[in-house]
């Protein structure tokens, strides 16, 4: 008797991808990889497990508190990566320390956050991630936006908007007002969650001057799609705050370049826009679609992380695209996958003794890059044909003694329901059409 275990369920927040979904995921991954290649980003593969300290350093409270962290058997505190950026920064601070800049690096893979599972929020999810290290110029920032736009178009999304901001605007004012970094982080976290009233209360409690508070209050209301008008209003608001003023100017330069790219990119600028990660120092952005309330992608400039990890001071900017959410948006916007459907063939021996011959024929077809399934259930020909039909295969190759004597097989076109005897040396030609 077999000892039976209880039926296992998936761990909460984890998912299985069946062939159709896996195909879509791989399709998006393929487009991301192609985009990386078109922009000169070399692919790197970093470990799923990293030291907790590295990942926690500047992740921001939101992500830090949701890490899958544990002690390994050697007593090291480790965690499953919640993002790629820390790993890439570690590499640039160590192994790639002396590499000439700029360095463009691409990664794709799974990440882990103990988020509350809901629409578009999973505990295991996928990103394509691009980091551009070594340039502080606006053209580097612009590149991350432009390549993201290309990827969104390449997967077939029609309706998406970039939400753009600059952390230097609010942090510039708060810094000038001598608000400590830790308090600033708390304020930015609340801003990220759009809890503006709570954020403003914290600003007030931090002892910011009346004028500073008023400026921030006004700033959080400045936003819109006429981006250069919005930038002008921001500039007016912060004219007495030097760092904030430079930040607005920097954003203006970046978005001017993006607009000059020749692509019509739909953008909105928000002065009070913040993102959960603490390492950002400059321009930040996300992508949104009208069908969903969560972001598809997120990125921005982080000029101090590599130095913090012991590397040379290295300006950097990057972006990560959430593949699961892109997939959801594609389904909602009814995007068609532009895949080339190859011919599929089932090879059926009509007698037990011809199994070996069926394998030989399959070998010939696969050598010609044709996908073949060999009958393995020992079914009668009619049953196997019914199955091939049900699974919408294109051809069946029926291997029988009589035809083999003539060095031939029967090729049945399952779509047209026609069949003919074909010499083995001609089957590839016959099936390719
Ligand atoms: P992030 O905004 O935390 O940024 O994540 C980027 C994208 O990953 C999100 O826009 C979303 O599509 C996807 N994502 C995040 N959490 C989940 C989840 N629980 N379930 C499904 N999808 C999720 C970063 O990760 C930064 N490292 C981006 C970056 C790269 N900044 C500079 N370089």
């Amino acid at each position: 008797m077999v000892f039976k275990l209880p039926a296992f369920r998936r761990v909460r927040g984890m998912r299985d991808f069946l062939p159709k979904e896996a195909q879509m995921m791989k399709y998006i991954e393929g487009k991301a990889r192609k985009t990386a290649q078109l922009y000169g980003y070399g692919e790197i593969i970093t470990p799923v497990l990293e030291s907790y300290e590295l990942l926690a350093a500047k992740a921001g409270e939101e992500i830090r508190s949701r890490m899958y962290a544990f002690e390994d058997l050697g007593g090291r505190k480790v965690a499953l990566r919640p993002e790629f950026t820390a790993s890439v920064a570690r590499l640039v601070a160590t192994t790639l320390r002396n590499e000439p800049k700029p360095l463009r690096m691409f990664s794709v893979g799974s990440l882990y956050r103990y988020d509350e599972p809901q629409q578009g929020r999973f505990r295991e999810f996928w990103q394509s991630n691009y980091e551009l290290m070594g340039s502080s110029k606006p053209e580097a920032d612009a590149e991350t936006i432009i390549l993201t736009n290309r990827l969104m178009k390449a997967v077939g999304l029609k309706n998406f908007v970039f939400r753009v901001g600059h952390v230097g605007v609010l942090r510039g004012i708060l810094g000038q007002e001598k608000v400590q970094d830790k308090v600033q982080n708390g304020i930015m976290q609340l801003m990220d969650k759009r809890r503006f009233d709570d954020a403003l209360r914290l600003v007030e409690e931090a002892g910011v001057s009346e004028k500073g508070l008023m400026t921030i209050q006004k700033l959080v209301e400045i936003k819109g799609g006429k981006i250069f008008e919005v930038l002008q209003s921001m500039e007016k608001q912060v004219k007495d705050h030097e760092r904030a003023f430079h930040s607005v100017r920097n954003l203006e330069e970046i978005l001017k370049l993006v607009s000059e790219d020749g692509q019509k990119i739909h953008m909105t600028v928000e002065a009070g826009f913040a993102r959960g990660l603490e390492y950002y120092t400059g321009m930040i952005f996300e992508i949104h679609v009208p069908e969903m309330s969560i972001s598809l992608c997120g990125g921005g400039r982080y000029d101090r992380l590599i130095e913090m990890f012991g590397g040379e001071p290295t300006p950097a900017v990057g972006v990560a695209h959430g593949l699961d959410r892109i997939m959801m948006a594609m389904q909602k916007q009814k995007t068609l996958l532009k895949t080339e459907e190859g011919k599929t063939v089932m090879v059926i021996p009509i007698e037990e003794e011809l199994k070996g011959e069926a394998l030989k024929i399959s070998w010939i077809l696969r050598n010609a890059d044709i996908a073949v399934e060999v009958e393995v259930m020992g079914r009668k020909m009619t049953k196997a044909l019914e199955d091939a039909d049900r699974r919408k295969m294109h051809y069946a190759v029926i291997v029988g003694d009589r035809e083999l004597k003539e060095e031939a097989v029967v090729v049945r076109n399952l779509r047209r329901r026609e069949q003919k005897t074909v010499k083995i040396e001609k089957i590839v030609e016959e099936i390719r059409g």
Side-chain angles (χ1 to χ4, degrees), residues 83 85 113 115 120 122 127 131 275 279-280 295-297 318 322:
E83 58 151 352
T85 310
R113 294 182 194 175
D115 278 331
F122 312 105
Q127 282 184 350
E131 308 290 355
R275 288 184 25 80
Y279 48 61
Y280 291 121
S295 68
L296 260 50
C297 313

Side-chain angles (χ1 to χ4, degrees), residues 81-248:
R81 62 185 179 199
E83 58 151 352
F84 283 112
T85 310
S87 304
V88 186
R90 168 181 61 71
L91 265 179
V92 176
T94 56
T95 319
L96 302 176
R97 196 184 178 94
N98 299 319
E99 278 296 295
K101 309 291 182 304
L103 266 173
R104 289 183 169 92
M105 279 170 292
F106 164 73
S107 313
V108 63
S110 57
L111 304 134
Y112 302 84
R113 294 182 194 175
Y114 202 77
D115 278 331
E116 200 41 43
Q118 50 187 290
Q119 268 268 4
R121 211 176 280 283
F122 312 105
R123 290 183 176 170
E124 180 185 49
F125 61 96
W126 274 259
Q127 282 184 350
S128 60
N129 186 84
Y130 305 70
E131 308 290 355
L132 171 43
M133 309 282 196
S135 168
S136 59
K137 300 276 184 231
E139 43 274 40
D141 303 68
E143 179 169 302
T144 58
I145 295 182
I146 294 167
L147 82 76
T148 297
N149 180 57
R150 177 178 281 272
L151 176 57
M152 296 301 111
K153 290 233 156 107
V155 298
L157 286 180
K158 297 162 206 111
N159 199 358
F160 57 91
V161 189
F162 281 84
R163 175 191 284 169
V164 194
H166 196 299
V167 297
V169 179
L170 293 178
R171 285 204 189 255
I173 300 170
L174 295 170
Q176 199 172 323
E177 295 274 348
K178 307 265 181 308
V179 176
Q180 282 178 0
D181 271 0
K182 213 167 159 211
V183 182
Q184 284 189 30
N185 292 343
I187 295 167
M188 300 306 268
Q189 293 286 342
L190 290 169
M191 293 268 184
D192 175 39
K193 294 203 190 104
R194 329 219 115 228
R195 287 168 54 191
F196 296 118
D197 289 343
D198 293 334
L200 288 169
R201 199 165 309 126
L202 219 67
V203 172
E204 206 173 349
E205 282 166 19
V208 169
S209 68
E210 187 90 1
K211 193 167 163 233
L213 183 65
M214 281 254 291
T215 309
I216 294 177
Q217 251 164 356
K218 287 203 183 121
L219 275 175
V220 294
E221 276 160 24
I222 302 179
K223 58 181 162 193
K226 292 188 173 149
I227 56 173
F228 294 104
E229 284 174 27
V230 172
L231 286 163
Q232 291 227 314
S233 322
M234 283 166 71
E235 216 174 283
K236 245 187 253 159
Q237 274 309 319
V238 299
K239 60 181 183 315
D240 299 330
H241 296 87
E242 203 188 332
R243 218 193 115 200
F245 185 79
H246 281 302
S247 298
V248 179

